[in-house]
Amino acid sequence: MYDTVFSGKFYYNGQFQDLDIGVCDGKITEIKKHINFKREILRHAVFPAGTDIHVHFRDPGETEKEDFKTGTISAIAGGTTTIFDMPNNKIKIDNYSAYRDKLEIVRRKAYSDFGLYSMFTGNNLNIIDKDSSGIKIYMGSTTNASGLNNYNASDINGINDLKIPVVFHAEDPVCLQKNHIDAKNLMEYNKSRPPECEDSAVSTASKMGFKNGIIAHLTHNIKTQYLREVTPHHLMLNDEMDLGSYGKVNPPLRSRELQGLLLDEYISGSYDILSSDHAPHTQNEKADFEYAPAGIIGVETRIPLMLALIQKKVLPMDVFIKTAIYNPAKIFNIKKGEIKIGNYADFMTVDFTS
């Protein structure tokens, strides 16, 4: 049964095919070459919509920067219909009450589907909301997060029992303190949070024993048994570019050489997830480099940037599909990311001729 039939050139089983897709109550119920039913024609190339597992929509507490209404509208405009929001709000999401308060706010504002992380600080396992979509661990300090305190093996086991992804912001606090300088430009900021700080943090995280670990926003090739996430800004920007404080982000933009190597590795299929790490701030906050908070926007441009690389024949289609669409949905066990019966009929259309 279906209440709508979409007709178009769908990316299905690894290639574009002219198909009719029957949909009932928002889910795909039939996939055929032709369905004898009134059809809605979808123009151009049709993909499954994307999932972004790493955004910071600043709601609650700093809605002058972003809220869930503007953030989710931007996500949809960029081909993403599901986002997962991080817990380092000004009001930290590290306990049951904060999680429930945020959920109530978000439900009133969101235009897309969403999930919410809770923060593990090392001593708060018993008060983390068990309905959290994922756990975020900040190994070192960054915006609205002071880093990981002491923890024990029972905490690791307790988080593993939740059977949800555990995402690491991997920068080692001792390394950050050792290299700290009052950076006044992107090159100095890169030196103040060097790649070795990532290496050390990833090494520590990899020994912690989590079953569903993800290392977020890697800036260079680090081996780990966990899944590995990259961002468009680390793939395409570097510290030689004239970006000023708008390029200030944690971990930093790297040298042109490291950025090029990361892009080559991503293109080769070495990484698992492409996320935006969308982290907005106001123009006033970004006015002075030294005091500007770290964060780059990107929830609306994550997919279009990759599509541009595909159009230029730089990025293979299958790598884009795997990292931006299929894997993020699979990792969070949501029925999206692939056109198949039983999945939600979330599509995006792309005009490659324009």
Side-chain angles (χ1 to χ4, degrees):
M1 291 290 296
Y2 29 81
D3 45 39
T4 306
V5 172
F6 294 101
S7 183
K9 190 176 289 294
F10 292 86
Y11 190 83
Y12 178 65
N13 288 342
Q15 60 183 328
F16 286 105
Q17 302 184 44
D18 291 314
L19 297 169
D20 287 352
I21 306 290
V23 176
C24 184
D25 294 330
K27 289 187 175 181
I28 298 171
T29 57
E30 197 164 11
I31 304 172
K32 286 185 175 182
K33 286 292 185 182
H34 178 75
I35 296 175
N36 189 22
F37 194 84
K38 182 179 179 181
R39 291 174 291 168
E40 182 174 334
I41 307 298
L42 299 180
R43 306 294 179 187
H44 311 302
V46 187
F47 292 90
T51 295
D52 191 341
I53 72 165
H54 191 157
V55 304
H56 302 265
F57 281 170
R58 307 303 188 199
D59 206 340
E62 295 176 294
T63 53
E64 71 278 7
K65 303 182 184 188
E66 181 84 272
D67 71 1
F68 253 79
K69 178 180 178 180
T70 59
T72 52
I73 289 173
S74 296
I76 292 168
T80 294
T81 58
T82 306
I83 60 88
F84 289 84
D85 190 69
M86 289 297 173
N88 59 325
N89 298 100
K90 189 173 184 179
I91 304 167
K92 295 178 180 61
I93 312 305
D94 58 4
N95 63 81
Y96 176 91
S97 178
Y99 181 91
R100 289 289 149 179
D101 288 346
K102 179 173 179 175
L103 182 61
E104 184 178 349
I105 291 168
V106 168
R107 280 175 170 164
R108 297 196 301 264
K109 294 184 176 183
Y111 279 74
S112 72
D113 292 331
F114 66 88
L116 303 178
Y117 289 89
S118 284
M119 185 188 303
F120 177 59
T121 60
N123 54 10
N124 66 326
L125 175 63
N126 292 334
I127 55 175
I128 287 176
D129 195 290
K130 301 304 185 289
D131 289 334
S132 303
S133 301
I135 299 294
K136 182 67 178 285
I137 297 177
Y138 293 90
M139 305 292 288
S141 61
T142 188
T143 305
N144 294 333
S146 56
L148 183 66
N149 297 320
N150 294 328
Y151 63 91
N152 56 53
S154 63
D155 294 329
I156 308 300
N157 293 333
I159 291 175
N160 283 336
D161 288 343
L162 297 176
K163 294 180 169 51
I164 55 178
V166 179
V167 179
F168 293 89
H169 180 115
E171 289 185 290
D172 181 83
V174 175
C175 180
L176 292 178
Q177 185 175 14
K178 175 184 174 183
N179 288 279
H180 175 76
I181 58 173
D182 294 326
K184 295 178 174 58
N185 56 59
L186 290 178
M187 287 188 178
E188 290 182 359
Y189 197 67
N190 182 7
K191 292 177 182 178
S192 76
R193 305 176 80 106
E196 304 91 81
C197 296
E198 282 185 274
D199 296 339
S200 178
V202 171
S203 177
T204 299
S206 297
K207 297 171 184 174
M208 292 175 72
F210 287 105
K211 293 180 179 178
N212 301 304
I214 300 170
I215 304 296
H217 43 49
L218 282 168
T219 69
H220 64 292
N221 190 24
I222 306 173
K223 300 300 182 185
T224 174
Q225 76 271 29
Y226 294 146
L227 298 176
R228 302 189 301 167
E229 174 195 84
V230 290
T231 70
H233 51 270
H234 288 123
L235 293 175
M236 305 178 77
L237 304 177
N238 61 67
D239 68 358
E240 295 181 28
M241 294 178 173
D242 186 19
L243 304 171
S245 60
Y246 288 96
K248 186 178 181 181
V249 64
N250 296 334
L253 300 182
R254 300 302 184 196
S255 67
R256 182 183 295 273
E257 179 184 7
L258 275 185
Q259 175 245 313
L261 288 172
L262 186 73
L263 180 58
D264 289 343
E265 290 156 1
Y266 172 68
I267 288 168
S268 74
S270 296
Y271 290 89
D272 303 291
I273 308 159
L274 179 83
S275 301
S276 69
D277 190 12
H278 174 83
H281 298 287
T282 66
Q283 286 183 307
N284 285 341
E285 286 176 309
K286 284 288 192 179
D288 183 275
F289 188 97
E290 186 174 351
Y291 301 104
I296 290 178
I297 58 176
V299 72
E300 188 171 344
T301 56
R302 177 184 70 116
I303 284 177
L305 285 169
M306 296 304 108
L307 291 171
L309 293 181
I310 291 171
Q311 191 173 34
K312 293 178 183 294
K313 303 189 185 306
V314 172
L315 177 64
M317 182 75 74
D318 63 332
V319 173
F320 162 69
I321 294 291
K322 180 186 79 170
T323 58
I325 296 175
Y326 179 78
N327 278 353
K330 181 181 179 182
I331 290 162
F332 280 81
N333 196 31
I334 58 176
K335 292 183 179 296
K336 296 191 182 187
E338 183 181 13
I339 294 174
K340 74 173 187 177
I341 291 174
N343 275 10
Y344 287 99
D346 283 25
F347 307 132
M348 63 171 170
T349 61
V350 178
D351 182 4
F352 281 107
T353 64
S354 61

